[in-house]
């Protein structure tokens, strides 16, 4: 068989497979009975059509009447042997249609997790290839700062990022993500409280600096009256309790009482009896008791 004849045979086979077998396509009642055998009587709706799956192999589609499966279809696949008139049921299943209501695509838990989801007793394992972490010093960070950009006497990045007993430390990607998240947050320079602040955290005495490369832009607030107390703040953040915002005068102690020890005043504790209704000269009257 030549090349042209082989190509014609392939085209003919493809054309036949796209055309539903007439005998199988006509067996609508058989397909309906198979669908009702699985779904139940009254749960299968009208016939929606037939689709060729191959030679003498077709699938009938029926409407699904279950309210929870809106847009789904019952699919019954029928087949017959070559030169046979008997049609048999191959498979019956429920499949989603073009406008079916489907569950959203599955997302791994590690991608669904959000800040604040971790509770008491929960464990969040970190993958070995987490790009936010890197092994102890590898020298990769040293290439990020060009010698021309280093100020005179500035320590190299290796001095900031030594592991000190930790198997892994923040990578450049991890530091960048943290810095961007903190800077855009409520403790960054764009927060409303920072816009109204009298001065910045960089000049506040309550700022506890961070160690490492992040300390160049962030610190921890240590003022118990600040809404940022115990939180990482950017150096250009600020609030109304800046240490140098105003100097409040201290309250003076009360003066001791003044005692005049050079003069005195006579005070009569028991005043003398001057007059009354009974004269002292009259004899005492018997009142009838001893």
């Amino acid at each position: 068989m030549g090349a042209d004849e082989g190509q014609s045979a392939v085209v003919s086979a493809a054309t036949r497979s796209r055309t539903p077998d007439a005998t199988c396509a006509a067996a609508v009642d058989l397909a309906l009975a198979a669908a009702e055998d699985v779904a139940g009587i009254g749960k299968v709706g009208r016939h929606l059509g037939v689709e060729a799956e191959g030679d003498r192999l077709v699938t009938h589609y029926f409407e699904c009447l279950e309210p929870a499966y809106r847009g789904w279809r019952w699919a019954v696949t029928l087949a017959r042997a070559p030169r046979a008139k008997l049609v048999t049921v191959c498979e019956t299943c429920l499949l989603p249609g073009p406008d079916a209501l489907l569950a959203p695509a599955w997302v791994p838990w590690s991608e669904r997790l959000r800040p604040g989801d971790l509770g008491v007793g929960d464990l969040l394992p970190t993958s070995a290839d987490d790009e936010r972490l890197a092994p102890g010093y590898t020298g990769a960070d040293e290439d990020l700062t060009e010698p021309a950009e280093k100020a005179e006497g500035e320590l190299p990045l290796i001095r900031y990022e030594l592991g000190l007993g930790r198997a892994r430390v923040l990578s450049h990607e991890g530091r960048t993500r943290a810095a961007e998240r903190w800077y855009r947050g409520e403790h960054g320079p764009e927060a409303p409280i920072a816009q109204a602040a009298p001065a910045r955290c960089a000049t506040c005495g309550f700022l506890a600096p961070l160690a490492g490369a992040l300390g160049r832009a962030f610190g921890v607030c240590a003022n118990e009256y600040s809404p940022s107390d115990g939180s990482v703040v950017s150096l250009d953040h600020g609030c109304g309790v800046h240490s140098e915002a105003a100097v409040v005068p201290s309250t003076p102690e009360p003066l001791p009482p003044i005692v005049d020890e050079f003069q005195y005043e006579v005070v009569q504790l028991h005043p003398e009896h001057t007059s009354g209704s009974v004269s002292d000269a009259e004899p005492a009257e018997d009142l009838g008791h001893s």
Side-chain angles (χ1 to χ4, degrees):
M1 183 174 59
D4 294 340
E5 295 179 359
Q7 184 177 2
S8 300
V10 173
V11 172
S12 300
T15 303
R16 288 198 305 270
S17 65
R18 288 197 298 267
T19 303
D21 180 76
T23 304
C24 294
V28 178
D29 294 339
L30 176 63
L32 177 60
E36 289 180 338
D37 184 60
V38 176
I41 303 299
K43 300 296 184 180
V44 181
R46 59 189 177 88
H47 186 254
L48 299 178
V50 63
E51 182 178 342
E53 304 289 351
D55 291 340
R56 298 176 300 279
L57 184 67
V58 301
T59 298
H60 290 266
Y61 293 99
F62 298 90
E63 182 183 10
C64 178
L65 301 182
E66 288 286 351
Y69 288 88
R70 187 183 64 193
W72 286 62
R73 305 176 298 179
W74 284 104
V76 181
T77 303
L78 305 180
R80 69 179 181 89
R83 294 186 297 276
K85 299 298 183 182
L86 180 62
V87 178
T88 59
V89 178
C90 294
E91 184 181 18
T92 302
C93 61
L94 188 62
L95 298 177
D99 55 346
L101 182 63
L102 300 175
W106 182 80
V107 179
W109 68 268
S110 57
E111 299 179 16
R112 286 184 276 116
L113 199 64
R114 293 293 178 266
D117 290 347
L118 196 67
V120 178
D122 295 338
L123 295 178
L124 178 60
T126 304
S127 61
D129 57 349
D130 194 324
E131 61 181 1
R132 299 171 301 170
L133 296 172
Y137 176 71
T138 61
D141 287 340
E142 201 65 25
D143 298 334
L144 299 175
T145 304
E146 298 295 334
E149 299 177 0
K150 292 184 179 180
E152 183 178 356
E154 183 179 357
L155 296 176
L157 288 176
I158 183 175
R159 299 290 297 276
Y160 289 105
E161 299 301 329
L162 287 175
L164 298 179
R166 294 175 294 164
R168 291 186 290 177
V169 296
L170 275 175
S171 64
H172 178 260
E173 179 67 20
R175 288 195 303 271
T176 301
R177 288 189 185 183
E180 291 177 350
R181 185 172 62 253
W182 296 344
Y183 205 76
R184 293 194 307 264
E186 59 180 359
H187 303 300
E190 301 299 328
I193 192 172
Q195 298 294 321
R200 299 305 177 191
C201 294
T203 58
C204 181
F206 294 104
L207 180 75
L210 289 179
L214 289 173
R216 300 176 179 179
F218 300 96
V220 177
C221 178
N223 191 329
E224 60 183 312
Y225 299 107
S226 172
S228 302
D229 181 40
S231 301
V232 175
V233 296
S234 65
L235 297 183
D236 48 359
H237 183 66
C239 67
V241 290
H242 191 281
S243 62
E244 312 305 322
V247 179
V248 180
S250 59
T251 304
E253 296 183 359
L255 297 176
I258 300 177
V259 179
D260 188 355
E261 299 178 351
F262 298 98
Q263 296 183 5
Y264 63 91
E265 179 182 357
V266 178
V267 179
Q268 187 175 0
L269 299 178
H270 301 286
E272 295 182 356
H273 180 72
T274 56
S275 62
S277 59
V278 180
S279 173
D280 294 337
E282 295 180 3
E285 184 178 347
D286 185 9
L287 299 177
H289 53 264
S290 58

